[in-house]
Short mmCIF file of all heavy atoms in Angstrom, two decimals:
data_model
loop_
_atom_site.label_atom_id
_atom_site.label_comp_id
_atom_site.label_asym_id
_atom_site.label_seq_id
_atom_site.Cartn_x
_atom_site.Cartn_y
_atom_site.Cartn_z
N TYR A 2 -27.82 -161.83 167.66
CA TYR A 2 -27.58 -162.90 166.70
C TYR A 2 -26.31 -162.62 165.89
O TYR A 2 -26.01 -161.48 165.56
CB TYR A 2 -28.77 -163.02 165.75
CG TYR A 2 -30.05 -163.35 166.46
CD1 TYR A 2 -30.97 -162.36 166.75
CD2 TYR A 2 -30.33 -164.65 166.85
CE1 TYR A 2 -32.15 -162.66 167.41
CE2 TYR A 2 -31.51 -164.96 167.51
CZ TYR A 2 -32.42 -163.95 167.78
OH TYR A 2 -33.58 -164.26 168.44
N ARG A 3 -25.62 -163.67 165.56
CA ARG A 3 -24.39 -163.56 164.75
C ARG A 3 -24.73 -163.47 163.27
O ARG A 3 -24.14 -162.71 162.53
CB ARG A 3 -23.50 -164.76 165.04
CG ARG A 3 -22.30 -164.89 164.16
CD ARG A 3 -21.06 -164.35 164.82
NE ARG A 3 -19.89 -164.60 164.01
CZ ARG A 3 -19.43 -163.73 163.12
NH1 ARG A 3 -20.01 -162.59 162.95
NH2 ARG A 3 -18.37 -164.00 162.41
N ARG A 4 -25.69 -164.30 162.81
CA ARG A 4 -26.08 -164.31 161.39
C ARG A 4 -27.60 -164.30 161.30
O ARG A 4 -28.26 -165.14 161.90
CB ARG A 4 -25.55 -165.56 160.69
CG ARG A 4 -24.07 -165.57 160.51
CD ARG A 4 -23.65 -166.79 159.69
NE ARG A 4 -22.21 -166.90 159.67
CZ ARG A 4 -21.50 -167.70 160.45
NH1 ARG A 4 -22.11 -168.50 161.29
NH2 ARG A 4 -20.20 -167.73 160.37
N ILE A 5 -28.11 -163.37 160.51
CA ILE A 5 -29.55 -163.26 160.31
C ILE A 5 -29.83 -163.36 158.80
O ILE A 5 -29.19 -162.68 158.01
CB ILE A 5 -30.10 -161.93 160.85
CG1 ILE A 5 -29.85 -161.83 162.36
CG2 ILE A 5 -31.59 -161.79 160.54
CD1 ILE A 5 -30.25 -160.49 162.97
N LEU A 6 -30.80 -164.17 158.45
CA LEU A 6 -31.25 -164.31 157.07
C LEU A 6 -32.54 -163.53 156.89
O LEU A 6 -33.47 -163.66 157.70
CB LEU A 6 -31.48 -165.79 156.73
CG LEU A 6 -32.07 -166.09 155.36
CD1 LEU A 6 -31.10 -165.68 154.24
CD2 LEU A 6 -32.44 -167.56 155.25
N ILE A 7 -32.58 -162.72 155.84
CA ILE A 7 -33.78 -161.96 155.52
C ILE A 7 -34.23 -162.30 154.10
O ILE A 7 -33.65 -161.81 153.13
CB ILE A 7 -33.54 -160.44 155.61
CG1 ILE A 7 -32.98 -160.04 156.97
CG2 ILE A 7 -34.82 -159.68 155.31
CD1 ILE A 7 -32.57 -158.57 157.05
N PRO A 8 -35.24 -163.15 153.95
CA PRO A 8 -35.80 -163.38 152.62
C PRO A 8 -36.65 -162.16 152.22
O PRO A 8 -37.49 -161.71 153.01
CB PRO A 8 -36.68 -164.61 152.79
CG PRO A 8 -36.34 -165.17 154.13
CD PRO A 8 -35.80 -164.04 154.94
N VAL A 9 -36.41 -161.61 151.04
CA VAL A 9 -37.19 -160.46 150.58
C VAL A 9 -37.79 -160.75 149.21
O VAL A 9 -37.21 -161.44 148.40
CB VAL A 9 -36.35 -159.15 150.52
CG1 VAL A 9 -35.91 -158.72 151.90
CG2 VAL A 9 -35.16 -159.30 149.61
N ASP A 10 -38.96 -160.18 149.01
CA ASP A 10 -39.68 -160.37 147.76
C ASP A 10 -39.68 -159.10 146.92
O ASP A 10 -39.59 -159.15 145.71
CB ASP A 10 -41.11 -160.83 148.07
CG ASP A 10 -41.85 -161.25 146.83
OD1 ASP A 10 -41.24 -161.85 145.93
OD2 ASP A 10 -43.06 -160.97 146.75
N GLU A 11 -39.81 -157.96 147.59
CA GLU A 11 -39.95 -156.68 146.90
C GLU A 11 -38.87 -155.70 147.36
O GLU A 11 -38.51 -155.69 148.54
CB GLU A 11 -41.32 -156.07 147.21
CG GLU A 11 -42.50 -156.93 146.77
CD GLU A 11 -42.64 -157.00 145.27
OE1 GLU A 11 -42.26 -156.02 144.59
OE2 GLU A 11 -43.11 -158.03 144.77
N PRO A 12 -38.37 -154.85 146.46
CA PRO A 12 -37.34 -153.87 146.82
C PRO A 12 -37.69 -152.97 148.02
O PRO A 12 -36.80 -152.71 148.84
CB PRO A 12 -37.16 -153.04 145.54
CG PRO A 12 -37.50 -154.00 144.45
CD PRO A 12 -38.63 -154.84 145.01
N PRO A 13 -38.94 -152.52 148.20
CA PRO A 13 -39.22 -151.66 149.36
C PRO A 13 -39.02 -152.34 150.72
O PRO A 13 -38.92 -151.67 151.74
CB PRO A 13 -40.69 -151.27 149.18
CG PRO A 13 -40.97 -151.44 147.73
CD PRO A 13 -40.09 -152.59 147.29
N GLU A 14 -38.96 -153.68 150.74
CA GLU A 14 -38.75 -154.40 151.99
C GLU A 14 -37.30 -154.35 152.47
O GLU A 14 -37.03 -154.52 153.66
CB GLU A 14 -39.13 -155.88 151.82
CG GLU A 14 -40.55 -156.14 151.46
CD GLU A 14 -40.81 -157.59 151.11
OE1 GLU A 14 -39.87 -158.35 150.80
OE2 GLU A 14 -41.99 -157.96 151.15
N VAL A 15 -36.38 -154.14 151.56
CA VAL A 15 -34.96 -154.31 151.85
C VAL A 15 -34.47 -153.40 152.98
O VAL A 15 -33.98 -153.87 154.00
CB VAL A 15 -34.10 -154.11 150.58
CG1 VAL A 15 -32.63 -154.16 150.90
CG2 VAL A 15 -34.45 -155.16 149.54
N GLU A 16 -34.57 -152.10 152.79
CA GLU A 16 -34.01 -151.17 153.77
C GLU A 16 -34.62 -151.32 155.17
O GLU A 16 -33.88 -151.46 156.15
CB GLU A 16 -34.12 -149.73 153.29
CG GLU A 16 -33.49 -148.76 154.27
CD GLU A 16 -33.59 -147.32 153.84
OE1 GLU A 16 -33.97 -147.04 152.69
OE2 GLU A 16 -33.30 -146.46 154.69
N PRO A 17 -35.95 -151.31 155.31
CA PRO A 17 -36.49 -151.41 156.67
C PRO A 17 -36.16 -152.73 157.37
O PRO A 17 -35.90 -152.74 158.58
CB PRO A 17 -38.01 -151.25 156.50
CG PRO A 17 -38.28 -151.23 155.05
CD PRO A 17 -37.00 -151.09 154.33
N LEU A 18 -36.12 -153.82 156.63
CA LEU A 18 -35.79 -155.10 157.25
C LEU A 18 -34.32 -155.16 157.67
O LEU A 18 -33.99 -155.70 158.73
CB LEU A 18 -36.13 -156.26 156.32
CG LEU A 18 -37.63 -156.54 156.19
CD1 LEU A 18 -37.89 -157.58 155.11
CD2 LEU A 18 -38.20 -157.01 157.52
N ILE A 19 -33.43 -154.60 156.86
CA ILE A 19 -32.02 -154.57 157.25
C ILE A 19 -31.83 -153.67 158.47
O ILE A 19 -31.10 -154.01 159.40
CB ILE A 19 -31.13 -154.10 156.08
CG1 ILE A 19 -31.09 -155.19 155.00
CG2 ILE A 19 -29.71 -153.79 156.57
CD1 ILE A 19 -30.35 -154.79 153.74
N ARG A 20 -32.52 -152.53 158.49
CA ARG A 20 -32.41 -151.63 159.65
C ARG A 20 -32.89 -152.33 160.93
O ARG A 20 -32.25 -152.25 161.97
CB ARG A 20 -33.20 -150.35 159.42
CG ARG A 20 -32.54 -149.43 158.43
CD ARG A 20 -33.22 -148.07 158.36
NE ARG A 20 -32.55 -147.23 157.40
CZ ARG A 20 -31.43 -146.56 157.64
NH1 ARG A 20 -30.86 -146.63 158.82
NH2 ARG A 20 -30.87 -145.82 156.71
N PHE A 21 -34.00 -153.04 160.84
CA PHE A 21 -34.52 -153.75 162.01
C PHE A 21 -33.56 -154.88 162.42
O PHE A 21 -33.25 -155.04 163.60
CB PHE A 21 -35.92 -154.30 161.73
CG PHE A 21 -36.52 -154.99 162.92
CD1 PHE A 21 -37.01 -154.26 163.99
CD2 PHE A 21 -36.60 -156.37 162.98
CE1 PHE A 21 -37.56 -154.88 165.10
CE2 PHE A 21 -37.14 -157.01 164.08
CZ PHE A 21 -37.62 -156.26 165.15
N ALA A 22 -33.11 -155.65 161.46
CA ALA A 22 -32.19 -156.76 161.76
C ALA A 22 -30.90 -156.26 162.38
O ALA A 22 -30.33 -156.93 163.25
CB ALA A 22 -31.90 -157.56 160.49
N SER A 23 -30.44 -155.10 161.97
CA SER A 23 -29.18 -154.57 162.52
C SER A 23 -29.30 -154.31 164.02
O SER A 23 -28.30 -154.35 164.73
CB SER A 23 -28.76 -153.30 161.78
OG SER A 23 -29.61 -152.21 162.10
N LEU A 24 -30.51 -154.06 164.50
CA LEU A 24 -30.73 -153.86 165.94
C LEU A 24 -30.61 -155.17 166.72
O LEU A 24 -30.39 -155.16 167.93
CB LEU A 24 -32.10 -153.24 166.18
CG LEU A 24 -32.35 -151.88 165.54
CD1 LEU A 24 -33.80 -151.47 165.72
CD2 LEU A 24 -31.40 -150.84 166.09
N LEU A 25 -30.78 -156.29 166.03
CA LEU A 25 -30.73 -157.61 166.66
C LEU A 25 -29.38 -158.30 166.47
O LEU A 25 -29.18 -159.41 166.94
CB LEU A 25 -31.81 -158.51 166.05
CG LEU A 25 -33.24 -157.99 166.08
CD1 LEU A 25 -34.15 -158.90 165.27
CD2 LEU A 25 -33.73 -157.87 167.51
N LEU A 26 -28.47 -157.63 165.78
CA LEU A 26 -27.22 -158.24 165.33
C LEU A 26 -26.09 -158.01 166.32
O LEU A 26 -25.95 -156.93 166.90
CB LEU A 26 -26.86 -157.61 163.98
CG LEU A 26 -25.90 -158.34 163.07
CD1 LEU A 26 -26.44 -159.70 162.68
CD2 LEU A 26 -25.65 -157.50 161.83
#
Side-chain angles (χ1 to χ4, degrees):
Y2 300 100
R3 172 98 174 92
R4 290 185 188 99
I5 299 175
L6 175 65
I7 305 173
V9 295
D10 189 37
E11 300 290 330
E14 299 172 341
V15 175
E16 182 181 349
L18 287 172
I19 290 175
R20 287 189 180 280
F21 183 75
S23 71
L24 300 173
L25 305 172
L26 200 60

